[in-house]
Amino acid sequence: MGLSSILSKTVDSASSGFLKKALTGAGLGLASTAGVTVLVNSYIDNLRTSTGGLSSELLAILHLSALDYALSIILSAVVTRIALNSVGLQLSKLSK
């Protein structure tokens, strides 16, 4: 029994079970995350456009108060939460 036959049997058994489910679930997760990413990017672009009219002094004060970091952390948390919720929904529908 050579290495190639052992590898072939391992791939065949894995493809019918766990590996197939894992790859299918990852595909659904990536598809839903891509949709969320487009939506969030458009929201961020809208936010950038609306803050473009602010004076440079006001933007400097907001930077000194670390508001830009706070907004970055909040947006990252929202995106992460939405992505995790959408992946959980897709995987629960797949397993039923």
Side-chain angles (χ1 to χ4, degrees), residues 1-93:
M1 184 178 268
L3 181 62
S4 62
S5 64
I6 293 172
L7 184 60
S8 174
K9 287 181 184 179
T10 304
V11 169
D12 287 339
S13 66
S15 67
S16 64
F18 172 74
L19 185 61
K20 184 176 180 180
K21 289 181 182 177
L23 291 176
T24 303
L28 290 174
L30 290 176
S32 61
T33 303
V36 169
T37 302
V38 170
L39 181 67
V40 169
N41 282 341
S42 67
Y43 177 72
I44 291 173
D45 289 339
N46 188 15
L47 186 64
R48 284 182 183 166
T49 303
S50 65
T51 58
L54 297 176
S55 68
S56 59
E57 292 86 11
L58 180 61
L59 290 174
I61 291 172
L62 292 176
H63 178 68
L64 286 174
S65 67
L67 185 67
D68 51 344
Y69 293 116
L71 286 175
S72 175
I73 291 170
I74 291 169
L75 283 174
S76 299
V78 168
V79 169
T80 303
R81 181 68 178 193
I82 291 171
L84 289 175
N85 285 344
S86 65
V87 169
L89 272 174
Q90 296 295 337
L91 290 178
S92 67
K93 288 181 183 175

